[in-house]
Amino acid sequence: MRHPIIKMAAASLLCTLSYGGYADDTASQDANRLLQLANDTELANAETQAAMAKLEARRAKQKLTAPKQGQNAIERTTQPNNQMGGNNAAQTRSPIDNVELKSLVTTSGVTTAWIALDGELIEVKKGSQIGALKVIDLDENSVRFSDGHKTKRKWMAGFKAKAQSQQIPIRGR
């Protein structure tokens, strides 16, 4: 990478040498080395600037924080329910009422659930907390939630009926 400034600096260095000094081979080799050193220095400076720019970009990216998943949905569901009107307007709905269990996945002994909360898809595990909503436990068919006031289990589609039929005791003959 040869720049006009580097060529001019090398030329001015050559001019300072005596006429007989740069006419021989060693002076010519010295001039070529000077040009090569100037090019190497310019390249090293450009690489340093590129590395510094990458470092600054990485630092800026680390400063960005991801929004809290589901926070907006929780805030919306804990607002007073004005649809009922009258004295019931002051009552608040539990965020559990708006949770829909989408899937449950167990990998390496850890169960993860995907829930939909007012249109937002959120990944949760045991102990996860989204606003006032907390995941108490998970199993292969359901997730139990608490909002600080009540606890409720949400089932995968079709599993609640199976679980209830299994709990009915069969009486002897």
Side-chain angles (χ1 to χ4, degrees):
M1 185 160 102
R2 299 192 186 261
H3 294 287
I5 295 173
I6 295 171
K7 287 181 181 178
M8 287 175 31
S12 71
L13 277 170
L14 289 175
C15 289
T16 59
L17 298 174
S18 66
Y19 177 77
Y22 73 86
D24 62 13
D25 288 337
T26 58
S28 176
Q29 290 173 354
D30 288 343
N32 285 335
R33 270 191 248 135
L34 281 174
L35 282 173
Q36 186 60 44
L37 287 172
N39 284 337
D40 291 346
T41 302
E42 195 67 28
L43 181 61
N45 287 340
E47 289 173 344
T48 302
Q49 288 176 347
M52 292 299 289
K54 284 181 183 179
L55 179 62
E56 287 300 317
R58 190 176 304 138
R59 286 180 181 161
K61 187 175 181 180
Q62 288 173 346
K63 287 181 182 179
L64 297 175
T65 57
K68 294 179 181 176
Q69 289 184 326
Q71 190 63 38
N72 292 337
I74 294 294
E75 290 170 1
R76 285 192 305 269
T77 58
T78 56
Q79 299 300 318
N81 185 357
N82 294 325
Q83 295 175 351
M84 295 182 164
N87 293 335
N88 292 333
Q91 293 179 354
T92 59
R93 291 186 48 163
S94 169
I96 301 172
D97 297 333
N98 296 334
V99 171
E100 183 181 348
L101 183 57
K102 291 295 192 178
S103 71
L104 285 158
V105 178
T106 302
T107 306
S108 301
V110 177
T111 302
T112 302
W114 284 92
I115 62 170
L117 183 60
D118 285 350
E120 294 182 43
L121 194 59
I122 305 165
E123 179 182 18
V124 296
K125 297 178 182 176
K126 183 176 181 177
S128 294
Q129 186 151 358
I130 305 165
L133 186 67
K134 184 170 183 174
V135 178
I136 303 299
D137 68 351
L138 296 95
D139 61 30
E140 64 274 1
N141 301 322
S142 65
V143 179
R144 191 164 53 115
F145 296 96
S146 172
D147 67 358
H149 302 289
K150 72 177 185 177
T151 302
K152 189 172 183 180
R153 186 171 295 276
K154 291 290 185 165
W155 295 86
M156 285 298 298
F159 284 101
K160 186 174 182 180
K162 289 180 185 177
Q164 289 175 341
S165 67
Q166 291 173 356
Q167 293 176 357
I168 299 172
I170 300 174
R171 303 214 174 193
R173 296 180 186 147

